[in-house]
Amino acid sequence: MLNHPTPTDGYETYTSRLQKETEELIKKHRPPHDTAQIELQKKLHFEFLLRNLRQGFPERYTSQDASQPWLIYWTLHGFSILGVGLDDQTKKRTIDTLLAMQHPEGGFAGGPGQTAHLLPTYAAVCSFAVVGRPGDGGGWDAIDRKKMYDFFMSLKRRDGSFLVSHHGEVDVRGIYCLLAVATLLNLLTPELLAGVPEFLATCQTYEGGFCNASFPGWAFEADDPETESGSPKTYDPSAPRPPLGEAHGGYTFCAAASWVLLQPYIKLYYSSAGGSLTPVPSINTRALLRWCVQMQGLPIELGGFKGRTNKLVDGCYSWWVGGCVVLAETLLGVTATHEAVPHEHHEESDEDGQKSWDDADDSLFNRKALQEYILCAGQHPAGGLRDKPPKPADAYHTLYCTAGLSAAQHRVIPSEAREKAVISAWNSSQAHAKAGTAYAPSSDADREMLDELRKGIFTHAMSWSEEDGTAVYVGGAANRVNATHPLFNLTVTHSDGMMSYFYGQTPPSRYANKPATK
Amino acid sequence: MSELLADDPEWADVVPIRQYENVNPIAPIFYSEEYKDATDYFRGVLKTGEMSPRVLQLTERIIRMNPAHYTAWQHRYKTVIALKIPLEEELELMNDIATTFLKTYQVWHHRRLLLTALNSIDAAARELEFLKTVLRADAKNYHTWSFRQWILAHFNDEERLWAGERAYIEDLLEQDVRNNSAWHHRFFVVFSSGIRLGDEDRDQMLRRELSFVKEKIALAPNNPSAWNYLRGALEHTNTPFSTLTTFVELYTTSQPPSRGRDEDVVDLDNPPPSAGAQLPAVAALEFLADIYEKEGGDASAKAVEIWKSLANEKDVIRKKYWEYRIRDALSKA
């Protein structure tokens, strides 16, 4: 039963042949009956990442020359998930390297002397979250936030979208990168966010996932500095805004995470209390959930995730889609524990153990199977992780397979209790003082709303936590990796640290004893 | 014979700029000599803002070694415009790069910028033909499809551009009925981008689309692309799923398709499964459960039964999801 191939209905096509070949390859890596034997080769993967960091990347990584901050982020965050710290000297060198990629006009580039771009900006800022700190030589204070904000605003289009760079494309990955960075660095304003929810909503396809961008993202007005020639078409806000490209794992994660990050903005700026008559933008969250779970492959493919319908499983989608399910659950409001009571976790080989595992598990995707895919098919025997066997390992897949493993092991969800605790310590004037933009609200009412926005965003982001007893480890606790924040893909230590500094807050510790009841 | 610009007297007036000055970078990349040389000189011309024929050569050189070098593409575009290079020529020059590096964003975005500047339906029509050759090599190339859709929406010419698309998609689905990119493209052409010439009668259009997708489901019922298209078409037009109950029930049976069909009865609206179909199809079961759930009342129990069979037998990998569907339906009962 569990190893039935994908049915082909006696009608083969290129897709079904490729799928069959892949199933033949992957099923060879079926987990042993005694899953306690499955081992995450932490040392090997750490050494794989370390080699790149110390010795440098081989020539074939020239293709990543415009993504240098990504090479750093994949490596450093990979270390963080694997539970490895860095020495001060390496941190210093990393900070200096990253700062060399900061563009004089704001934002970070793919390398020194390249133009600024939203994607490496995210990778650089996240890397700073891992290795940096406030103060001299710590890197954080050397990030020019005001110029970065101006850079963001210069990329903003009329339809609510953003180009990823000057003369670059519109892409939801860019929007996610911008929102994540603006959230971490306290750069969010209503002028930055105007039109963004509407744009994102147009990127959802009939399948429920999200695509790359929607039309008319590139329609320019004649005086738009992004066009240097001729007579472009005029932007028509009433024209249909169809999604360009099919539903895809990477874009779906970016859109879903962006949507969660935008919730405080949507709640504040679209409510009728705010006097706004603009229709509240919405996405189809049930369809999003359906699409995400449909992307999990069959048992014969070890339950890895695909990126698109009728395409192949790939380890990196362990994060992009596996890690997206909890976002869909959050948007649907179904993250709370349902009637099954969590049991003590037993080794999973006996039937009772299996039952208690299932009862304790609230996730809507198969966490155990995803872990098996990553551990049995995703690990390269020489170190590092990969798309699928027999492909070689690379830095990108190493990070996203590891992050996906983390997402399958740990259930990190918004916690009301944690949010309340953070709110109780909220200092509005500090957050205002630390804001990274020159944006000035035009009235007291606007200023109040912006304060509320900052509070809402900060406290929501800080509220994501792992509930005790909800972790599950295929192969046992020795395979445990650290939890990662579902919105940022940073450890909560790193995201908490960065946000606390840039919002001027001192939230209560996550690990303090429970407060005495009043 | 050195190919390096450092040894080329034509470039003697340019000051090359090293990538890292006064920084011992972490995680360096081991570039080839040629790449290092080319990018050192590129940083040099970026600093002076030079836009000249030799800059065109240099950016092409870099792009061929690293097609993802977006700054090189950006500067190339500005140079092409500044030098008033005929844009059709630039497009053609880039054809080889497009087919060699078809998985790279920048390659396609450059073409989009050129087509925008050209602002010509002729160029758009030629581009659509060119894209067909690319799709022949990689029928699901994401950027190519996304770009094709942009061209159609941006130039929006019914006769010269939109008109051929449905036939093209049908060809592709003949070749591979499981090509989800083609199905998505059909949805884009028929439903998402305004009303096509000839499709003004929306009822007729929907009948045609439903007939089309049902035929394809009959051919290979375990094809999620077709079912997603069907669901999408119904949702988009606010057509209840229940209107397809008779059709779907042909696919939820466990009986293999009967060989000898009654020749006198041909139900055009409900094409039955092909001889090789493996039934029941999971997507059909899901569809039927959705119908029952919508119906509510006593039908909810039937939905729950189906979800249970999916969770425990037919689609076990998604057990957690099917159990959620049960809880969700019961909580609303």
Side-chain angles (χ1 to χ4, degrees):
Chain A
M1 162 92 271
L2 285 185
N3 285 297
H4 283 188
T6 300
T8 55
D9 301 314
Y11 183 81
E12 283 187 7
T13 61
Y14 175 77
T15 296
S16 67
R17 279 189 290 268
L18 192 57
Q19 175 65 24
K20 183 162 183 231
E21 265 169 43
T22 304
E23 286 172 5
E24 292 297 305
L25 276 166
I26 293 179
K27 77 181 193 195
K28 290 187 194 147
H29 295 259
R30 206 170 300 159
H33 182 72
D34 177 14
T35 54
Q37 285 175 28
I38 304 174
E39 206 183 313
L40 174 67
Q41 302 292 340
K42 288 186 192 171
K43 190 159 183 293
L44 278 181
H45 304 319
F46 164 67
E47 282 167 0
F48 174 82
L49 292 173
L50 189 66
R51 258 198 312 278
N52 292 332
L53 195 72
R54 270 222 198 103
Q55 296 167 21
F57 285 85
E59 195 189 318
R60 67 177 181 278
Y61 278 86
T62 300
S63 62
Q64 305 301 314
D65 184 41
S67 298
Q68 291 176 52
W70 284 104
L71 295 175
I72 294 173
Y73 164 70
W74 295 331
T75 305
L76 297 185
H77 184 49
F79 283 157
S80 304
I81 304 181
L82 288 171
V84 181
L86 285 175
D87 60 276
D88 286 343
Q89 206 187 37
T90 306
K91 285 185 182 176
K92 173 97 183 64
R93 242 174 101 196
T94 305
I95 290 166
D96 290 342
T97 309
L98 289 168
L99 287 175
M101 298 190 248
Q102 181 162 221
H103 196 275
E105 282 157 44
F108 286 79
Q114 297 177 29
T115 56
H117 190 295
L118 292 179
L119 275 59
T121 298
Y122 163 89
V125 170
C126 285
S127 299
F128 274 117
V130 177
V131 295
R133 56 175 171 74
D136 245 355
W140 288 6
D141 293 330
I143 299 172
D144 192 329
R145 291 189 295 150
K146 292 208 159 49
K147 288 219 173 96
M148 188 183 287
Y149 182 82
D150 291 340
F151 170 60
F152 289 167
M153 286 305 295
S154 75
L155 298 174
K156 196 170 174 67
R157 301 289 93 204
R158 291 178 130 86
D159 65 347
S161 67
F162 292 86
L163 302 181
V164 293
S165 66
H166 292 296
H167 300 298
E169 67 272 19
V170 164
D171 187 310
V172 298
R173 300 173 312 155
I175 288 166
Y176 164 71
C177 289
L178 183 151
L179 289 177
V181 166
T183 300
L184 288 168
L185 298 183
N186 192 358
L187 297 178
L188 291 162
T189 67
E191 75 172 359
L192 185 70
L193 300 179
V196 179
E198 287 83 350
F199 174 77
L200 281 176
T202 59
C203 296
Q204 186 169 30
T205 78
Y206 67 90
E207 291 196 277
F210 286 74
C211 70
N212 158 282
S214 65
F215 186 83
W218 298 279
F220 304 109
E221 292 294 343
D223 61 349
D224 191 320
E226 287 294 325
T227 57
E228 301 206 44
S229 61
S231 51
K233 298 231 152 196
T234 314
Y235 176 63
D236 175 8
S238 70
R241 300 175 68 173
L244 304 175
E246 64 198 293
H248 178 291
Y251 299 124
T252 300
F253 174 85
C254 291
S258 296
W259 196 257
V260 175
L261 286 169
L262 284 168
Q263 289 307 297
Y265 170 74
I266 293 173
K267 290 190 175 99
L268 275 169
Y269 287 80
Y270 289 85
S271 68
S272 52
S276 166
L277 292 171
T278 324
V280 183
S282 67
I283 60 169
N284 187 335
T285 43
R286 285 174 65 96
L288 170 63
L289 175 66
R290 175 184 183 269
W291 184 86
C292 288
V293 304
Q294 290 288 336
M295 287 301 107
Q296 188 157 23
L298 298 177
I300 194 175
E301 306 168 276
L302 269 55
F305 274 84
K306 308 164 187 246
R308 303 186 244 169
T309 306
N310 269 328
K311 293 270 282 177
L312 303 173
V313 294
D314 179 332
C316 69
Y317 296 118
S318 308
W319 172 256
W320 301 122
V321 188
C324 191
V325 177
V326 74
L327 300 179
E329 293 180 46
T330 300
L331 290 169
L332 281 168
V334 297
T335 51
T337 308
H338 48 89
E339 70 268 14
V341 173
H343 294 247
E344 282 300 312
H345 173 68
H346 296 292
E347 279 309 293
E348 55 282 1
S349 46
D350 62 80
E351 212 187 63
D352 281 352
Q354 178 63 53
K355 186 172 186 302
S356 69
W357 179 315
D358 284 347
D359 284 347
D361 180 8
D362 295 316
S363 300
L364 299 187
F365 72 100
N366 191 324
R367 288 163 68 180
K368 179 168 172 281
L370 179 58
Q371 291 187 45
E372 285 172 2
Y373 180 87
I374 295 166
L375 293 169
C376 302
Q379 295 192 84
H380 192 285
L385 293 104
R386 61 193 167 183
D387 162 352
K388 61 172 74 66
K391 294 194 179 179
D394 60 62
Y396 165 85
H397 283 95
T398 299
L399 190 268
Y400 290 106
C401 283
T402 311
L405 180 65
S406 175
Q409 287 184 350
H410 302 283
R411 186 162 166 73
V412 181
I413 54 176
S415 154
E416 254 184 61
R418 174 68 185 155
E419 191 164 16
K420 283 198 174 95
V422 175
I423 288 174
S424 69
W426 174 255
N427 185 321
S428 185
S429 55
Q430 276 287 91
H432 172 76
K434 279 297 277 185
T437 83
Y439 173 80
S442 50
S443 69
D444 282 342
D446 283 349
R447 192 204 140 121
E448 256 180 61
M449 276 230 295
L450 180 51
D451 285 344
E452 280 302 302
L453 179 65
R454 277 197 205 101
K455 174 170 144 192
I457 278 159
F458 180 83
T459 56
H460 174 80
M462 298 283 287
S463 75
W464 289 72
S465 316
E466 182 177 18
E467 238 179 19
D468 285 340
T470 61
V472 287
Y473 308 115
V474 167
N479 288 345
R480 181 189 179 284
V481 294
N482 284 330
T484 186
H485 196 303
L487 293 174
F488 304 114
N489 201 4
L490 287 170
T491 62
V492 293
T493 305
H494 292 143
S495 58
D496 278 3
M498 182 167 252
M499 286 192 77
S500 299
Y501 177 66
F502 284 105
Y503 284 76
Q505 303 297 310
T506 319
S509 163
R510 282 179 183 267
Y511 310 107
N513 291 330
K514 292 200 172 91
T517 49
K518 293 222 165 99
Chain B
M1 180 66 173
S2 170
E3 291 241 339
L4 302 180
L5 301 188
D7 300 327
D8 185 346
E10 296 278 323
W11 286 86
D13 59 304
V14 175
V15 178
I17 299 177
R18 298 170 91 85
Q19 184 171 218
Y20 287 98
E21 313 263 21
N22 310 317
V23 172
N24 179 13
I26 204 82
I29 299 170
F30 285 108
Y31 309 111
S32 66
E33 276 309 302
E34 284 82 6
Y35 188 83
K36 206 184 307 181
D37 172 76
T39 48
D40 284 348
Y41 277 86
F42 177 63
R43 278 182 281 274
V45 302
L46 267 187
K47 188 159 187 194
T48 61
E50 180 181 333
M51 294 195 265
S52 62
R54 68 179 175 180
V55 162
L56 282 182
Q57 280 168 23
L58 176 56
T59 53
E60 187 181 340
R61 195 169 222 219
I62 293 173
I63 283 159
R64 284 186 182 278
M65 290 189 278
N66 175 17
H69 200 301
Y70 64 87
T71 305
W73 282 105
Q74 195 178 28
H75 197 62
R76 183 180 180 85
Y77 172 69
K78 284 158 81 161
T79 304
V80 161
I81 299 296
L83 297 184
K84 300 187 178 356
I85 303 290
L87 301 177
E88 291 94 338
E89 264 177 44
E90 173 68 1
L91 266 174
E92 243 204 78
L93 180 69
M94 292 290 113
N95 286 357
D96 175 57
I97 292 188
T99 47
T100 314
F101 299 111
L102 40 78
K103 288 203 195 291
T104 310
Y105 281 92
Q106 289 72 24
V107 158
W108 300 106
H109 185 65
H110 187 70
R111 299 184 78 90
R112 183 164 36 229
L113 289 174
L114 296 173
L115 282 180
T116 304
L118 262 173
N119 202 26
S120 141
I121 305 280
D122 282 343
R126 276 197 302 275
E127 190 71 2
L128 290 180
E129 282 310 304
F130 172 66
L131 296 185
K132 285 186 184 179
T133 66
V134 176
L135 289 170
R136 231 169 273 146
D138 180 2
K140 300 183 184 181
N141 187 288
Y142 196 91
H143 312 307
T144 311
W145 279 111
S146 178
F147 181 40
R148 189 179 192 84
Q149 284 147 21
W150 175 83
I151 293 170
L152 290 162
H154 182 80
F155 290 98
N156 200 19
D157 185 310
E158 288 294 332
E159 271 121 13
R160 297 209 50 205
L161 302 180
W162 287 109
E165 291 306 287
R166 250 195 314 118
Y168 175 53
I169 295 160
E170 278 163 27
D171 248 356
L172 291 177
L173 291 177
E174 275 293 310
Q175 290 167 40
D176 186 349
V177 75
R178 300 178 176 94
N179 184 337
N180 199 63
S181 310
W183 282 102
H184 174 90
H185 194 65
R186 190 178 180 102
F187 200 95
F188 172 83
V189 169
V190 173
F191 291 106
S192 313
S193 313
I195 298 174
R196 296 281 70 79
L197 200 61
D199 279 358
E200 296 81 0
D201 182 342
R202 304 311 274 163
D203 289 335
Q204 190 193 52
M205 178 278 289
L206 182 61
R207 273 196 305 275
R208 180 195 67 216
E209 291 306 301
L210 292 181
S211 173
F212 179 79
V213 67
K214 285 190 277 185
E215 283 298 328
K216 297 306 187 191
I217 288 175
L219 203 52
N222 287 281
N223 177 9
S225 294
W227 285 97
N228 286 354
Y229 188 85
L230 173 62
R231 298 170 66 97
L234 295 173
E235 281 164 355
H236 185 86
T237 55
N238 291 315
T239 309
F241 280 22
S242 55
T243 56
L244 269 85
T245 307
T246 311
F247 171 71
V248 169
E249 281 174 341
L250 296 173
Y251 296 86
T252 56
T253 170
S254 304
Q255 299 300 314
S258 58
R259 308 269 229 103
R261 242 175 280 123
D262 187 344
E263 297 285 330
D264 291 342
V265 181
V266 175
D267 186 346
L268 291 172
D269 274 345
N270 298 298
S274 63
Q278 292 166 268
L279 302 176
V282 167
L285 290 170
E286 175 188 27
F287 196 100
L288 191 57
D290 286 341
I291 291 173
Y292 291 144
E293 182 188 31
K294 194 78 203 280
E295 204 183 308
D298 293 339
S300 295
K302 292 199 274 182
V304 170
E305 222 180 276
I306 292 179
W307 289 324
K308 278 196 174 134
S309 83
L310 288 169
N312 298 319
E313 256 184 271
K314 305 278 193 310
D315 194 24
V316 297
I317 200 83
R318 270 164 278 282
K319 182 174 171 44
K320 290 292 180 184
Y321 175 71
W322 301 122
E323 289 175 344
Y324 156 73
R325 294 299 302 273
I326 294 171
R327 284 196 305 278
D328 185 57
L330 293 178
S331 75
K332 290 171 181 159

